[in-house]
Amino acid sequence: MMSISKCKMEDLPKELVISILLRLPAEDLRRCKGVCKSLYSIITSRPFIEVRRKIRNSYILVKYEDLISSKHVISLLCDETLEVVYTQTILSDTPLMDSMSSKDRVVKVVGCCNGVVCLRRIDMYVLWNPATRDAKIIPDGLYKSNPDKKMFQHREMGFGFDPKNNDYKLVSIQRLFGDNRRPVRPCQQEVEVYSLKAGCWKLLPGIIPTCDIMSAYSVEGCNGGEMISWLVWNEEYGEHVMSFDISNEVFITTPLPPFIIESSSDGNCRNSLMFHNASLALDHYVKDRKNQTETHNIWVLGEYGVKESWTNLFIVGPFKLLGPSISGFWNNNKVLLEVHGGGCRHDLILVDPSIRKIKDLDIHGTSLQVFNYQENLVQINATPPINLF
């Protein structure tokens, strides 16, 4: 047999090398890409990325502003234990880090899907893969660069993954304003979509229903597709859900349950969208002024476009008024809550409503956002480092 000390990597069977690489964490794979051309070729190949993606590497991603450094960071929490796996500055080890890390700049996560995070800082949008430390600035949309569209103003964005075409897309909804800088009535809105695969924007005229957008949240669809959903209002349905099907590029309208529409009319209720497992969920917040408490009723949608598919899952609370807010869910019906920790500090905790057990998740900061995150080695910028070979 060949002496181990004399064995070179190229002497190893390729199948063995791939088997070893599949077992490495993303950070080690990132380093391996810089070792030689053969490893870079394997790790960045689509078959390897697809096999690696099917290996369950799921986390809870929390974006927040660190209280000590004032930098925008993300922490990944193990999906099984909710222990913090690691924390890194947003866009660390990329040329774009300084543009997002300054404490005088507000950074928001537009969406997180299939391993890629979409970031927003003022009017700049960046796609970022935390696993590969790969990032790309999205070019300005067609409305921003077209003088004929100057009366249209950006209103809402959504980010998602198109599984049919293996593509990441950013959706922008623009609204027409008049000379008085007020929205034109009846509401006129247009849609443009950026495709990472095509590297450009395109217009989708005449596809959005007439409505006023109230809030937005993007979540993965139940059938492996991707949907971006907004709470909107119009005269036909009142408050309802409008969802954009990323793959088919069409909008779907889903009315809210009659109970929610009726109870929301007295001014003591409000609704917000989030996700529960892979399903779109609605947090129906009810304020009890007499007892100075608030309660959260969680509803889950079974099928987009079907009003009867809403299910009232469970109730969280009551809490004192201006108490914690729901950031998400874990392990079915356990609730991730954002609570005030004093001053500007906010803490993330886990609550099991069935036994009223609380766990501190060791996340402390401001501007918290919580997403499901599945590690993916997909390349956003596929150009290899100059000094690799």
Side-chain angles (χ1 to χ4, degrees):
M1 279 183 70
M2 183 184 299
S3 170
I4 294 178
S5 62
K6 296 181 180 179
C7 182
K8 298 179 181 180
M9 193 195 70
E10 52 264 33
D11 297 324
L12 296 174
K14 186 176 181 179
E15 293 76 12
L16 177 59
V17 174
I18 293 175
S19 179
I20 294 171
L21 291 175
L22 286 172
R23 288 165 170 78
L24 294 180
E27 184 66 22
D28 291 340
L29 287 173
R30 191 172 69 87
R31 294 191 183 101
C32 287
K33 287 197 300 182
V35 172
C36 64
K37 181 184 293 187
S38 60
L39 286 183
Y40 181 89
S41 177
I42 292 172
I43 295 170
T44 58
S45 68
R46 184 168 178 180
F48 182 87
I49 291 173
E50 286 300 310
V51 173
R52 185 68 163 61
R53 185 177 64 84
K54 293 175 182 178
I55 300 173
R56 184 173 176 81
N57 290 286
S58 299
Y59 304 91
I60 300 294
L61 183 149
V62 186
K63 176 268 167 188
Y64 58 100
E65 185 175 337
D66 183 70
L67 292 171
I68 298 175
S69 67
S70 296
K71 290 185 176 181
H72 299 278
V73 301
I74 64 163
S75 289
L76 292 186
L77 281 60
C78 175
D79 191 41
E80 296 180 356
T81 64
L82 288 187
E83 299 299 321
V84 177
V85 177
Y86 73 84
T87 298
Q88 65 168 294
T89 303
I90 281 180
L91 295 173
S92 59
D93 297 332
T94 75
L96 302 175
M97 183 177 72
D98 292 340
S99 66
M100 286 282 186
S101 60
S102 177
K103 65 181 180 180
D104 62 341
R105 295 185 173 106
V106 176
V107 177
K108 292 288 187 182
V109 174
V110 178
C112 176
C113 191
N114 203 38
V116 175
V117 180
C118 181
L119 303 168
R120 175 184 181 182
R121 198 266 297 169
I122 310 177
D123 286 333
M124 183 175 79
Y125 293 86
V126 176
L127 298 185
W128 175 46
N129 187 335
T132 62
R133 310 291 174 90
D134 196 21
K136 177 184 178 67
I137 296 177
I138 296 177
D140 288 340
L142 299 172
Y143 284 85
K144 190 173 182 180
S145 58
N146 187 349
D148 295 335
K149 298 289 188 179
K150 65 180 180 179
M151 300 307 294
F152 280 88
Q153 296 183 20
H154 157 75
R155 301 302 295 169
E156 293 292 346
M157 303 290 286
F159 173 69
F161 179 68
D162 174 359
K164 183 188 295 185
N165 299 296
N166 192 35
D167 193 11
Y168 294 88
K169 295 179 180 179
L170 183 66
V171 181
S172 173
I173 297 178
Q174 308 283 338
R175 184 164 183 176
L176 181 62
F177 280 67
D179 294 331
N180 59 359
R181 298 184 179 181
R182 295 180 178 275
V184 170
R185 296 288 181 179
C187 178
Q188 296 184 38
Q189 298 177 128
E190 294 188 9
V191 179
E192 59 179 347
V193 176
Y194 174 80
S195 161
L196 178 62
K197 180 181 285 187
C200 62
W201 292 86
K202 68 175 180 180
L203 297 178
L204 297 177
I207 70 166
I208 185 170
T210 300
C211 62
D212 287 321
I213 295 178
M214 304 165 68
S215 64
Y217 203 96
S218 58
V219 297
E220 292 189 16
C222 302
N223 299 319
E226 183 77 15
M227 305 288 284
I228 302 172
S229 297
W230 290 265
L231 276 174
V232 301
W233 187 94
N234 64 17
E235 292 187 1
E236 181 178 1
Y237 296 105
E239 187 176 358
H240 62 282
V241 176
M242 179 183 71
S243 303
F244 183 73
D245 184 329
I246 288 284
S247 295
N248 298 308
E249 296 183 342
V250 296
F251 283 94
I252 300 172
T253 296
T254 308
L256 297 181
F259 165 79
I260 291 181
I261 296 176
E262 293 170 5
S263 63
S264 299
S265 60
D266 62 4
N268 290 320
C269 303
R270 70 168 184 264
N271 302 311
S272 60
L273 298 178
M274 54 188 61
F275 55 85
H276 182 274
N277 295 330
S279 300
L280 182 69
L282 178 79
D283 174 14
H284 180 60
Y285 161 94
V286 181
K287 183 188 301 182
D288 185 341
R289 297 184 184 274
K290 179 179 179 181
N291 296 311
Q292 293 293 292
T293 61
E294 56 190 32
T295 304
H296 298 263
N297 296 272
I298 307 303
W299 293 70
V300 172
L301 182 64
E303 182 179 352
Y304 289 94
V306 181
K307 177 177 67 174
E308 293 76 18
S309 68
W310 286 104
T311 300
N312 191 192
L313 207 57
F314 57 89
I315 295 175
V316 182
F319 303 118
K320 292 182 179 180
L321 284 180
L322 303 178
S325 59
I326 296 179
S327 295
F329 305 96
W330 178 75
N331 198 13
N332 292 324
N333 296 341
K334 297 180 178 64
V335 185
L336 297 167
L337 291 179
E338 179 182 341
V339 298
H340 297 286
C344 296
R345 170 177 158 174
H346 287 225
D347 303 325
L348 189 66
I349 65 173
L350 178 71
V351 175
D352 187 338
S354 62
I355 58 176
R356 293 189 172 273
K357 183 179 179 180
I358 297 176
K359 177 181 179 180
D360 186 350
L361 299 182
D362 198 26
I363 298 291
H364 315 287
T366 61
S367 306
L368 270 66
Q369 292 181 272
V370 179
F371 298 87
N372 285 335
Y373 170 79
Q374 185 162 7
E375 188 180 87
N376 193 335
L377 300 179
V378 63
Q379 297 287 315
I380 300 173
N381 280 321
T383 305
I386 296 175
N387 61 349
L388 178 59
F389 308 125

